[in-house]
Amino acid sequence: MDRPQSHPHSCHHCQSLILDPQVAYEPAAPDFESRICRCSQCQKWVRAMGTSHQNASEGSFFFILDSQSMLKAREDGCATARELFDTWDEVDEQSIEYLRERGTPFEMTDIVVSCGYRKPNKHDICRLQVRGPHLIFVDGNPPEGDYGVCIEDEYGVAASRDDPSSRYITGRETHRETDHPEAYHMAARWVKECIQSHPACQSPFLIPNTFIPTRLLRVNNPDLGFDYVKMVSAEHIELSARYIALSYCWGGDQLGKTVEANISSRSRNLRVSDQPKTIRDAIKVTRRLHFDYLWIDSLCIIQDDPEDMARELACMDKVYEYADLLISATSAKSSAEGMLNPVLNLPANVSCGYRCPDGQVGRILLQKAGYTPGALGVHGRCWTLQEHLLPSRILAYAGSGLRWSCRTTTLFDGPWTTSTVFINYLENIETYRRMSAILSSDVPCGVPTVIHNQITDLNVDGILIAELLQGRQKPRPGARAVSPHEPDTTQGAGSEVTKPSAIAQWRKLLREFTSRSITNSADRLPAISAAARKFNNVLQGRYIAGLWEVALPLELLWAPQGGSNKGRDQEGPFPSWSWASTRHRVEWHVPSAGVATLHCLRTQLDFLYPSVPYGHVTKGWLRVRGDLMPVKCEAVDAPIDPSEWQIEQGLPMVVRNSAFLVPRFACNDAAYEEVSGLKILAILDEKTDIEALQEIYCLEVIREDLATSLTASRPSVGLVLAPIDESGSAFGRIGLFGMLHGRITGLRTREAVHSKLGDKGLDMFWEEREVLLM
């Protein structure tokens, strides 16, 4: 059964546009340079295209399209010409009229088309990258103004099954219906090929036949009928059984969830039609892919049994790691929406001619890349991040159509050959999934080349984390296992290299995680617990309410991004120093150099489930010793002009984001005069009444040496605290501070500090104390 076809535009203009690989320009052709635009941008682009496509799997050649002919075709209503000219608008046409009126000699460049093809078949074109047109000036001296920018677009190439070109072009049009026999056949082929042919996806560290989830849904039960599945406990399932896991958005309470009242009956039968559409669809896909078992959190965990919840949370990493496949309902924002829905947001196809090697002329379809599919659904939720981090294989039902991703490759239902087309624009979750795969101790050494090519944003201090951790995934020789809440006393070669890099990746992961939404704020730590457990394979240290003890005290230097209006959604006794206390996206502000002046003496955490040390934290504190300074708020919202750094009548009495603080201490008038320009910029965790900022404290975490860091903008960085009791020894975090100097105080060198402030220098502000951070 053929897939449903769209009907791309066709007219005499685009019918006369025929791509013929036999007459194309090779990148090294001697006459090619004279045909392309002479501007430096276009010359550089052509060289880059010729290089990027000349690899093990792809080659490239070029075509030149006459821009005047294409412009005429666009004016006549040709959709293909209009698409290839989509960067040419009324502004450019007005520029032409303006230049003609001035008598400025100019030329319109031709359109350069770079064709990537699958080696070794030069006729199997897989993508087009189109450059231009724009204006260049004959005398090289353009008048004032901008008259065109070199812009390129990318298109996937497909052929209809009944077209002559289909014998040479392997790309096919995207299925418009995901609930289609051919779509199921393609997905099953992806699964089979990966299981049988991808060594990197068969982790040698996952010992076969050693884990099966506590409960699974058996979807094939001939004695029950098609509308029923059965809940089966682990003791009745062979350890070799293959199962699928589902990742989806609940979108509210699940009416069909498993509770203590119905768990017994579900071991006999569970009616499929009573479940939300996404779950019904997942059961259908599982059957069509010829799997017998399916794991769904709302059904396989007893939702009103705290003990069962705790047990399942403790093994969540294994549930997803040992799954043979993860089905991701990517575009659905609730379980009621389903995932087997028509693909509605694909761009319209355009077409052009294609000359086959046998001389026949067929039609190829061009589908533009980089469009936006709207809300990301599953990738907007906290819980689903770790669900995509751990599996080896993901079959995603996305707004752009069906997509396959494993640790070896990424494939699309449609004419796409590179995951960066979608990942860079839409779903960078794939980057984070591969990051965790690299960090995991359950990943073999020798990361596939495709990972090196795609994880371009995981570079830490010039070292790719994939390269850094190759061969270091296993615990160090002689190292003992360390629990997440037991001091790490292990020593071994390589720890100084891997741990800082892993910490950097953890923070990168949290930037993505904290940008997502979660219904219950208390679930924020459990929602990342499985990933934390995997990171501990490298870090091998105590995990303290989302922070790693091996990186304290610098782990405390997080700050909310995008304003502080959202505030905290977890108040005391939950620890205020944990990023999990805020609903903001967080970022770490760690100076590039300096000495940590804060020392952590003791930690204490209370857990909702003591057996799950990566999960719910109900209470926590840190006992630390460090330098404390009493400060008060002097200005709000950080005006640029230092003369405006004062509280004036009429300013808001609620500080929403940032504030300037000044020391409040007793000293002689001369010393105070010298430091009156000293300012401390605070980023607040939540909007705060200005009255509450008059008796607060700065706790220094790291200090930069003025003698060796003359360009440093913040010689001191740390936490802003507010006392929470009358004893003056217990504090809660309310923000992050950075001390400003130099431009304001003139204290650029150690000599200047000593001459103005005496032998104590900046130490005159600080008092060393032992305090309790709540």
Side-chain angles (χ1 to χ4, degrees):
M1 186 176 186
D2 291 338
R3 71 179 70 191
Q5 300 290 323
S6 62
H7 301 284
H9 162 85
S10 180
C11 69
H12 72 279
H13 287 291
C14 53
Q15 288 175 4
S16 63
L17 175 61
I18 300 175
L19 299 184
D20 186 351
Q22 299 293 346
V23 297
Y25 291 95
E26 296 291 344
D31 57 339
F32 179 54
E33 291 288 331
S34 63
R35 289 294 312 275
I36 65 173
C37 171
R38 296 186 299 275
C39 80
S40 60
Q41 291 187 55
C42 281
Q43 295 282 342
K44 182 178 180 180
W45 178 81
V46 168
R47 288 193 297 271
M49 289 300 98
T51 302
S52 65
H53 287 177
Q54 301 301 325
N55 54 49
S57 60
E58 285 190 17
S60 67
F61 50 80
F62 294 84
F63 290 98
I64 305 294
L65 303 181
D66 180 68
S67 57
Q68 295 294 340
S69 299
M70 295 299 293
L71 184 59
K72 175 63 168 60
R74 190 188 79 153
E75 293 172 351
D76 290 345
C78 175
T80 301
R82 186 167 58 247
E83 175 63 41
L84 298 179
F85 251 87
D86 72 337
T87 60
W88 190 263
D89 55 25
E90 293 182 1
V91 175
D92 300 295
E93 295 179 3
Q94 292 172 2
S95 297
I96 290 178
E97 295 300 323
Y98 174 74
L99 295 172
R100 284 173 177 168
E101 291 176 0
R102 290 179 57 113
T104 302
F106 67 90
E107 294 178 358
M108 180 189 294
T109 67
D110 286 330
I111 300 173
V112 182
V113 180
S114 171
C115 298
Y117 64 88
R118 297 180 181 89
K119 289 183 176 179
N121 184 4
K122 181 179 179 180
H123 293 85
D124 188 5
I125 301 174
C126 55
R127 59 177 165 178
L128 301 183
Q129 288 175 278
V130 182
R131 177 80 168 182
H134 58 283
L135 303 181
I136 58 174
F137 300 93
V138 176
D139 58 7
N141 297 308
E144 294 183 3
D146 185 4
Y147 298 97
V149 180
C150 301
I151 300 176
E152 64 267 9
D153 287 320
E154 182 166 349
Y155 301 84
V157 177
S160 299
R161 189 174 301 278
D162 56 355
D163 191 271
S165 62
S166 64
R167 287 178 291 168
Y168 309 98
I169 303 290
T170 58
R172 295 292 180 265
E173 187 180 1
T174 302
H175 286 96
R176 303 285 168 156
E177 297 289 339
T178 54
D179 188 13
H180 188 272
E182 194 170 311
Y184 290 122
H185 176 75
M186 178 181 61
R189 186 177 71 249
W190 289 343
V191 174
K192 181 178 179 180
E193 180 180 345
C194 181
I195 291 176
Q196 294 182 350
S197 308
H198 292 173
C201 301
Q202 323 297 326
S203 177
F205 297 103
L206 289 181
I207 304 174
N209 305 333
T210 58
F211 175 81
I212 206 76
T214 305
R215 303 174 193 90
L216 289 171
L217 296 176
R218 182 182 291 159
V219 299
N220 298 307
N221 301 278
D223 57 320
L224 295 179
F226 193 76
D227 193 36
Y228 289 91
V229 295
K230 180 187 295 187
M231 186 79 69
V232 184
S233 58
E235 57 265 26
H236 300 299
I237 305 173
E238 294 181 1
L239 285 173
S240 60
R242 293 183 176 274
Y243 69 93
I244 291 175
L246 174 66
S247 178
Y248 67 111
C249 287
W250 282 30
D253 193 21
Q254 300 297 283
L255 298 179
K257 65 187 178 184
T258 295
V259 294
E260 289 184 315
N262 61 24
I263 181 65
S264 177
S265 64
R266 293 188 168 189
S267 63
R268 296 188 295 273
N269 61 73
L270 190 159
R271 187 189 294 272
V272 176
S273 56
D274 291 340
Q275 293 297 315
K277 187 175 187 302
T278 297
I279 292 178
R280 299 199 306 268
D281 288 349
I283 292 172
K284 184 174 185 178
V285 172
T286 302
R287 288 168 169 167
R288 296 301 296 265
L289 295 181
H290 310 294
F291 280 77
D292 288 329
Y293 295 101
L294 174 65
W295 188 90
I296 302 175
D297 55 2
S298 65
L299 299 181
C300 296
I301 301 175
I302 305 175
Q303 299 296 319
D304 61 351
D305 183 346
E307 292 185 1
D308 192 71
M309 294 278 287
R311 284 193 300 269
E312 295 306 302
L313 185 62
C315 64
M316 199 59 59
D317 55 333
K318 290 186 176 181
V319 169
Y320 290 105
E321 279 186 301
Y322 277 84
D324 287 271
L325 176 68
L326 179 81
I327 294 176
S328 176
T330 303
S331 59
K333 291 178 284 187
S334 78
S335 60
E337 294 183 14
M339 62 184 188
L340 295 177
N341 301 315
V343 179
L344 300 176
N345 51 1
L346 286 174
N349 287 336
V350 294
S351 68
C352 67
Y354 171 86
R355 190 174 303 279
C356 303
D358 61 5
Q360 293 190 76
V361 176
R363 308 292 298 170
I364 57 176
L365 310 176
L366 309 180
Q367 197 169 72
K368 190 172 183 179
Y371 57 90
T372 302
L376 293 181
V378 76
H379 293 316
R381 303 291 295 173
C382 285
W383 277 103
T384 57
L385 178 59
Q386 66 178 11
E387 295 171 6
H388 289 72
L389 285 166
L390 299 172
S392 298
R393 307 173 188 91
I394 299 175
L395 179 64
Y397 285 82
S400 54
L402 203 57
R403 187 180 73 247
W404 171 268
S405 184
C406 64
R407 290 177 180 170
T408 301
T409 189
T410 300
L411 302 170
F412 299 93
D413 174 19
W416 314 112
T417 62
T418 169
S419 60
T420 56
V421 172
F422 287 84
I423 293 171
N424 289 348
Y425 286 94
L426 310 177
E427 296 172 359
N428 61 3
I429 177 62
E430 303 300 341
T431 296
Y432 295 97
R433 186 188 64 77
R434 288 187 172 88
M435 174 183 66
S436 181
I438 294 167
L439 283 172
S440 172
S441 65
D442 298 332
V443 174
C445 303
V447 180
T449 302
V450 66
I451 293 179
H452 287 279
N453 290 340
Q454 294 174 354
I455 307 184
T456 57
D457 64 337
L458 301 186
N459 194 294
V460 181
D461 296 331
I463 302 174
L464 194 66
I465 190 66
E467 299 169 353
L468 185 67
L469 295 182
Q470 283 186 22
R472 298 190 179 96
Q473 293 91 342
K474 291 184 178 180
R476 300 185 302 273
R480 62 185 178 87
V482 180
S483 75
H485 297 286
E486 181 181 351
D488 181 8
T489 59
T490 60
Q491 300 292 330
S495 61
E496 293 300 315
V497 177
T498 60
K499 288 184 178 181
S501 302
I503 287 292
Q505 298 312 307
W506 172 254
R507 293 172 185 166
K508 193 180 293 289
L509 183 65
L510 288 183
R511 286 198 292 271
E512 166 69 18
F513 177 78
T514 55
S515 68
R516 297 171 172 228
S517 61
I518 194 165
T519 301
N520 183 0
S521 59
D523 288 341
R524 194 169 281 118
L525 287 175
I528 198 69
S529 62
R533 187 184 297 273
K534 298 307 297 179
F535 269 79
N536 195 41
N537 290 332
V538 174
L539 296 171
Q540 296 194 350
R542 301 176 68 195
Y543 182 68
I544 308 170
L547 311 181
W548 294 98
E549 189 181 47
V550 294
L552 286 177
L554 301 185
E555 279 279 78
L556 297 168
L557 297 179
W558 57 267
Q561 301 297 298
S564 57
N565 291 331
K566 293 181 179 180
R568 280 195 166 86
D569 53 8
Q570 292 203 79
E571 301 294 343
F574 189 88
S576 63
W577 38 265
S578 170
W579 54 264
S581 67
T582 178
R583 59 169 61 97
H584 284 276
R585 178 181 183 268
V586 297
E587 182 67 80
W588 271 259
H589 296 263
V590 179
S592 58
V595 177
T597 57
L598 185 69
H599 304 281
C600 297
L601 306 177
R602 186 182 175 190
T603 64
Q604 176 65 45
L605 294 177
D606 293 344
F607 300 97
L608 181 61
Y609 308 121
S611 62
V612 189
Y614 294 92
H616 293 91
V617 171
T618 58
K619 182 180 180 180
W621 51 260
L622 293 175
R623 184 169 293 279
V624 300
R625 177 178 291 278
D627 292 333
L628 203 66
M629 178 200 300
V631 294
K632 63 180 179 179
C633 178
E634 186 186 59
V636 299
D637 293 332
I640 297 177
D641 186 350
S643 66
E644 299 178 11
W645 292 357
Q646 55 186 332
I647 298 176
E648 298 180 357
Q649 186 175 4
L651 284 177
M653 298 305 290
V654 173
V655 183
R656 295 184 178 276
N657 183 18
S658 58
F660 276 97
L661 311 177
V662 294
R664 51 178 180 89
F665 54 88
C667 63
N668 62 66
D669 292 340
Y672 184 82
E673 184 66 26
E674 293 294 347
V675 300
S676 61
L678 182 66
K679 304 294 179 183
I680 302 168
L681 175 62
I683 303 174
L684 301 181
D685 295 342
E686 58 184 339
K687 59 184 179 181
T688 307
D689 190 281
I690 203 167
E691 295 295 329
L693 299 177
Q694 299 310 303
E695 294 187 8
I696 55 179
Y697 296 81
C698 287
L699 178 65
E700 188 178 64
V701 173
I702 188 170
R703 182 179 302 182
E704 296 185 68
D705 189 346
L706 292 176
T708 59
S709 183
L710 299 182
T711 60
S713 61
R714 301 183 304 277
S716 182
V717 179
L719 307 181
V720 183
L721 307 179
I724 61 175
D725 60 22
E726 297 181 357
S727 69
S729 61
F731 297 86
R733 172 190 158 129
I734 63 171
L736 190 74
F737 81 84
M739 185 181 292
L740 305 179
H741 72 110
R743 178 171 62 88
I744 304 163
T745 65
L747 307 181
R748 274 290 187 182
T749 66
R750 179 176 296 173
E751 290 74 16
V753 172
H754 284 199
S755 66
K756 287 180 177 290
L757 303 181
D759 292 338
K760 293 188 66 176
L762 292 177
D763 289 338
M764 69 179 294
F765 303 137
W766 304 101
E767 175 189 3
E768 186 178 20
R769 289 178 55 184
E770 186 174 306
V771 299
L772 198 64
L773 299 183
M774 304 298 292

